[in-house]
Amino acid sequence: MKQPVLVSATQEQLDELLVLARAASFPQPQYELLAGVLGTFVPVMYALQNAKTSLKRLRQILFGKRTESTANILKRIGNGTDSQAGLADQTVRAEPAPDDPAALSAGVGKEPKKHKGHGRSAAAAYSGAKVTEIPVPGLKSGDRCPNCLIGKVYDAPPKILVKVVGNPPLTASIFKCGCLRCRLCDYTVRAPLPVGMSTVKYEPSCATVLALLHYGSGMPFHRLDRLQSSMQMPVPKSTQWEILDKLAAANSGPRLVYEAMIVQAAQGKLLHNDDTTARILELMGARRAKAEAAGKTLPKMKAINTTGIVSLVDNVKVILFFTGAAHAGINMTKVLAHRARELATPMQMCDALAANTKGDFLTFLALCAAHARRQFVDVAESFPDACRYIIEVFANVYRIDDEAKDRTMSDVARLTHHRTHSRPLMVALKKWMRKQLTDHDVEPNSGLGRAMRYTLKHWMGLTQFYRRAGAPLDNNIVERALKKAITYRKNSLFYRTQHGADVGDILMSLIYTCEDCKANAFDYLQALQNHGAEVAAHPHQWLPWNYEDALAAITQPPPTPMSMVPNTTVASPARVMPPPAICAREPALSPA
């Protein structure tokens, strides 16, 4: 085969070729083929020039990423035979459950039943809808039947009709207040506004809707600007930002609640954390150089990240985002600085990246098993027999963990369950991997060898689920939370300033914590704006999972004076617990 010659071409040069091909009257099929080949050339060359792009990643760019489920991986690499030395002898397998994906791929058990449904929502799903009751005209319960004129009609279940109306995200109303002016003294009489209406142009609901659209759904300002303009309801993108900036201003309800959530997250018994990349233009390139030349102090950094921290406090997940030059470990330090002194050392779940644990805090470290498993998934096609065994061990461990969840076991009972069933699997796996490396049956620098060395190096952290009560298997909770920030990044691309990133962190934390605890994010943000004074006085009472109690205490009628109450025993009101005490940061964990 002839040695290929590397050709360098820009997108403009390729476009010129297409123009010439069109002028030469290429047949349409051949022209489309040429356009497709040239359109593939540029991204492939850019990917090859990137030193971090592996052949596997290049295949994913060109042909798409395949799922990592156990059933699909085993199907992809085939059934095969366990040809690795000692594999059959060292395998300790758990009996597969009837609904285990690996068992289904081997033909064991029954096919899972498909959920029935037509994709429509029942009337009960519209809990935020306005309900209008329409009585039967001219009839009431107990009247004669208008049909037979003998029987009587009584109440029956109503016929329910759901009516959905489309509107622009933000709508406007115009009020023309009449004016009368005296021609002699020039005195003007103006019509009053309707009762309860203010002269503020943008109501609090505008900020709420903008926050949900921009930070909750990732809609960029310029897209909403075009959408509103197309419906003759213009809301410029600069105005959208001003409204959201005011919503999360200093001493505002959302900002104070966000700070209270940080304090609450510090009290959790388990904290998940991880990073994803972000962009802040103020800290990058020419803008950074210009700001530094103007004497502005900017943080030193190697990368810009969005850190996600999910803290389990009792039965609530507190979801926090931090975007800036600090990595996950530094942001964990900021959070755990608020931990109460009397509480025990918390547990931390993350992957083995040093940035997740580097900081001035003390935790029991558990590492993500899904990251270790993915090391073998990536090389499964090259080493099918060995990877099949390892992936099946992880599948059995996850099945055992699902059994504990299905039985709603306590943390201690779950620990005993894993020690009984998962520990033998993992111990056998560890011995087998060590033997493969010691006997040189696996090349240490191969893809499989690197995956094995990664797993053995971090074995203690990866197996905390059968060593410590409450330790999770993986870091998927925070991975799912970070998908919200990734959605925003893919749509809006960047933050312009660090201040803009802070506003995004505040509102995203509130919205996604509401989403997790099943609170209505719209009602919640409205409550924070409508009761700003009460929120400022007691922000810890206005968290997404407990604000309804504080709201009910404000909206309920005032109590009857004691002088008018009969001589009966009066129950004392429920006490509201103050926020936990704030302590200094704990010493850093030693390398040992």
Side-chain angles (χ1 to χ4, degrees):
M1 182 177 178
K2 185 179 178 180
Q3 181 69 22
V5 178
L6 181 63
V7 177
S8 178
T10 64
Q11 186 65 53
E12 291 75 12
Q13 293 173 328
L14 298 179
D15 292 338
E16 290 178 3
L17 288 178
L18 288 177
V19 172
L20 294 174
R22 175 68 75 182
S25 300
F26 268 39
Q28 186 63 25
Q30 284 77 3
Y31 177 80
E32 292 178 355
L33 176 61
L34 178 62
V37 171
L38 296 180
T40 307
F41 176 82
V42 173
V44 169
M45 291 304 298
Y46 284 158
L48 291 175
Q49 291 170 4
N50 184 359
K52 295 183 179 180
T53 300
S54 63
L55 290 177
K56 180 176 179 63
R57 181 173 177 83
L58 181 59
R59 286 200 304 269
Q60 292 176 358
I61 294 173
L62 295 176
F63 307 113
K65 188 175 182 179
R66 289 175 286 192
T67 177
E68 296 181 2
S69 68
T70 301
N72 286 336
I73 294 169
L74 297 181
K75 181 180 179 180
R76 191 166 75 238
I77 64 179
N79 292 328
T81 57
D82 294 332
S83 59
Q84 293 289 337
L87 180 59
D89 298 335
Q90 297 295 333
T91 304
V92 180
R93 302 182 187 275
E95 188 68 21
D99 54 350
D100 182 60
L104 292 175
S105 66
V108 180
K110 299 180 180 180
E111 290 292 331
K113 293 183 179 179
K114 295 183 179 180
H115 296 287
K116 295 181 179 180
H118 40 61
R120 299 171 185 163
S121 300
Y126 298 89
S127 58
K130 178 182 178 182
V131 179
T132 302
E133 296 185 359
I134 305 175
V136 178
L139 280 178
K140 63 180 184 298
S141 180
D143 289 351
R144 290 289 179 184
C145 174
N147 183 38
C148 66
L149 303 177
I150 298 175
K152 295 183 178 181
V153 294
Y154 294 97
D155 291 332
K159 172 67 175 178
I160 298 177
L161 174 66
V162 178
K163 192 75 172 179
V164 180
V165 180
N167 283 306
L170 299 179
T171 58
S173 299
I174 298 176
F175 295 87
K176 293 185 177 180
C177 301
C179 291
L180 298 174
R181 182 170 62 87
C182 175
R183 293 186 178 181
L184 181 61
C185 67
D186 208 29
Y187 176 74
T188 302
V189 181
R190 294 185 176 87
L193 290 173
V195 178
M197 178 175 293
S198 67
T199 57
V200 177
K201 182 175 182 179
Y202 296 100
E203 294 289 334
S205 58
C206 294
T208 301
V209 171
L210 287 173
L212 294 174
L213 286 174
H214 188 65
Y215 298 112
S217 300
M219 176 175 280
F221 290 136
H222 66 89
R223 290 185 190 172
L224 184 57
D225 186 350
R226 290 203 307 267
L227 176 63
Q228 290 288 139
S229 298
S230 67
M231 299 182 180
Q232 283 75 49
M233 296 284 179
V235 182
K237 54 187 178 183
S238 58
T239 302
Q240 297 174 42
W241 163 245
E242 290 173 0
I243 293 173
L244 290 176
D245 187 24
K246 184 178 179 181
L247 176 62
N251 298 322
S252 64
R255 186 176 289 270
L256 293 174
V257 169
Y258 174 73
E259 294 170 356
M261 285 173 57
I262 293 176
V263 176
Q264 292 293 327
Q267 320 310 316
K269 63 179 181 180
L270 171 63
L271 292 93
H272 297 251
N273 72 313
D274 201 2
D275 280 333
T276 187
T277 58
R279 299 182 68 188
I280 301 176
L281 298 186
E282 182 185 44
L283 305 181
M284 301 168 60
R287 298 187 185 220
R288 181 184 182 92
K290 183 178 179 181
E292 290 177 339
K296 188 174 181 180
T297 303
L298 296 177
K300 296 181 180 180
M301 63 178 188
K302 293 184 178 180
I304 303 174
N305 301 300
T306 293
T307 298
I309 296 179
V310 179
S311 176
L312 274 62
V313 183
D314 297 330
N315 296 323
V316 175
K317 295 176 186 175
V318 185
I319 301 175
L320 298 172
F321 295 97
F322 303 88
T323 301
H327 53 70
I330 294 177
N331 290 318
M332 277 286 287
T333 302
K334 296 177 182 177
V335 171
L336 290 178
H338 301 282
R339 188 171 180 83
R341 288 189 177 90
E342 63 271 13
L343 294 179
T345 302
M347 194 179 308
Q348 178 188 2
M349 163 54 72
C350 60
D351 58 52
L353 191 65
N356 293 328
T357 57
K358 187 177 180 181
D360 188 13
F361 59 89
L362 181 63
T363 57
F364 292 111
L365 182 62
L367 297 179
C368 178
H371 277 75
R373 177 183 179 273
R374 191 170 297 122
Q375 305 280 331
F376 299 97
V377 171
D378 290 342
V379 298
E381 294 181 359
S382 302
F383 306 91
D385 295 330
C387 291
R388 182 185 305 107
Y389 165 55
I390 297 170
I391 291 170
E392 286 179 343
V393 169
F394 279 107
N396 284 324
V397 170
Y398 271 91
R399 178 189 59 78
I400 293 166
D401 194 63
D402 289 340
E403 290 176 356
K405 293 177 182 177
D406 294 340
R407 300 176 189 177
T408 61
M409 293 183 180
S410 65
D411 289 344
V412 176
R414 174 179 171 273
L415 177 64
T416 304
H417 189 62
H418 273 300
R419 283 180 175 174
T420 303
H421 301 287
S422 300
R423 187 175 180 274
L425 296 173
M426 298 300 289
V427 170
L429 175 63
K430 181 180 180 181
K431 291 180 180 178
W432 177 78
M433 288 193 297
R434 280 184 172 175
K435 186 175 187 301
Q436 294 292 300
L437 294 172
T438 303
D439 295 347
H440 300 287
D441 292 328
V442 173
E443 170 60 39
N445 292 324
S446 66
L448 179 60
R450 287 195 298 269
M452 287 183 175
R453 288 190 288 113
Y454 173 90
T455 304
L456 293 173
K457 178 181 178 182
H458 303 291
W459 188 259
M460 285 294 295
L462 293 171
T463 56
Q464 285 293 334
F465 63 91
Y466 66 71
R467 301 176 188 275
R468 185 173 296 278
L473 268 173
D474 52 46
N475 204 28
N476 289 348
I477 289 178
V478 77
E479 296 285 354
R480 287 192 292 268
L482 282 174
K483 284 184 178 180
K484 313 296 185 181
I486 294 171
T487 299
Y488 178 84
R489 183 187 69 205
K490 286 183 176 180
N491 286 275
S492 295
L493 302 181
F494 55 81
Y495 292 104
R496 192 174 297 275
T497 63
Q498 180 63 60
H499 174 68
D502 295 340
V503 172
D505 293 336
I506 292 170
L507 296 178
M508 288 175 66
S509 300
L510 297 182
I511 291 170
Y512 294 125
T513 301
C514 283
E515 182 180 298
D516 189 81
C517 67
K518 309 302 181 184
N520 188 316
F522 182 90
D523 292 344
Y524 177 64
L525 292 177
Q526 286 290 96
L528 294 186
Q529 295 177 83
N530 295 334
H531 303 282
E534 292 83 357
V535 175
H538 303 286
H540 60 281
Q541 297 180 3
W542 291 84
L543 301 170
W545 57 89
N546 67 2
Y547 86 99
E548 291 181 344
D549 296 335
L551 189 62
I554 293 175
T555 56
Q556 67 183 4
T560 306
M562 292 300 297
S563 59
M564 300 177 62
V565 176
N567 188 15
T568 57
T569 304
V570 179
S572 59
R575 296 177 59 192
V576 178
M577 298 300 293
I582 297 176
C583 68
R585 290 178 290 183
E586 297 191 44
L589 186 62
S590 63

